[in-house]
Amino acid sequence: GYSFDAMWSPRLAAQFDYASGDDDPADGDNNRFDSLFSVRRGDFGPLGIYGPFARSNIVSPGVRLQLKPNSTVSMFVAHRGYWLASDKDAWVVARVQDAEGDSGTYLGQQLEGILRWDIIPNNIRWEIGAAYYFKSGFAKDAPNANDEGDSNFIYSQLTLSF
């Protein structure tokens, strides 16, 4: 990433995640990366209850812009693309799989944004966020895919620290 010496302290960051998939799910060996007990927040979306992506069988480049207008307000907007690392392995979170590998690897892209306000710094923080997942390719074409359309998620939270 790079932080600019400018108003609102902009920081632009490139992101890339790769977690292996199982190239031959029928051979009895599981070669998919499994993060076991990892944090669900992080790079793939706002909350665990939304989370369409996990760090398993995934290739995901992205870009993030962070801004800090003042000492109590911060925000970011991020864009990521998603592909399966192995076309025969599952899209793990959705439990969608094409064992023949005929549905491709492209899952789509996600746009996310968050605004945080420290109402009373170190004591009360309010946050609002949203994520929109543009479904595409494998997410629509795999044999057991659910083509219910794109997903959107909006939330707000208040954190009290004492």
Side-chain angles (χ1 to χ4, degrees):
Y2 183 79
S3 296
F4 297 87
D5 185 19
M7 190 169 57
W8 288 26
S9 306
R11 177 169 175 77
L12 187 62
Q15 301 172 291
F16 185 82
D17 281 274
Y18 173 85
S20 64
D22 192 352
D23 289 330
D24 187 358
D27 69 0
D29 293 329
N30 183 354
N31 303 114
R32 179 190 313 140
F33 178 79
D34 184 354
S35 57
L36 294 177
F37 304 109
S38 71
V39 175
R40 289 286 302 183
R41 174 59 189 115
D43 302 320
F44 299 132
L47 295 170
I49 60 174
Y50 163 70
F53 306 104
R55 197 164 270 112
S56 279
N57 193 29
I58 198 93
V59 178
S60 180
V63 64
R64 177 183 297 234
L65 175 63
Q66 296 170 284
L67 301 169
K68 191 161 179 65
N70 61 50
S71 64
T72 62
V73 176
S74 63
M75 63 187 81
F76 79 78
V77 63
H79 177 266
R80 291 191 78 124
Y82 294 92
W83 287 261
L84 297 174
S86 170
D87 61 355
K88 294 180 181 178
D89 197 5
W91 173 16
V92 176
V93 175
R95 298 181 181 165
V96 174
Q97 184 170 3
D98 180 354
E100 302 300 316
D102 296 332
S103 300
T105 60
Y106 184 57
L107 295 169
Q109 47 192 309
Q110 179 172 270
L111 185 61
E112 176 187 8
I114 290 179
L115 172 66
R116 293 182 181 116
W117 175 31
D118 291 326
I119 300 168
I120 301 175
N122 301 317
N123 292 112
I124 301 175
R125 172 183 275 181
W126 176 66
E127 179 175 308
I128 186 166
Y132 192 88
Y133 168 44
F134 302 88
K135 254 177 150 176
S136 192
F138 181 93
K140 290 183 173 185
D141 301 335
N144 64 329
N146 165 342
D147 190 16
E148 293 293 322
D150 298 341
S151 298
N152 56 51
F153 181 77
I154 300 171
Y155 75 95
S156 178
Q157 70 182 33
L158 185 67
T159 304
L160 304 172
S161 302
F162 49 91

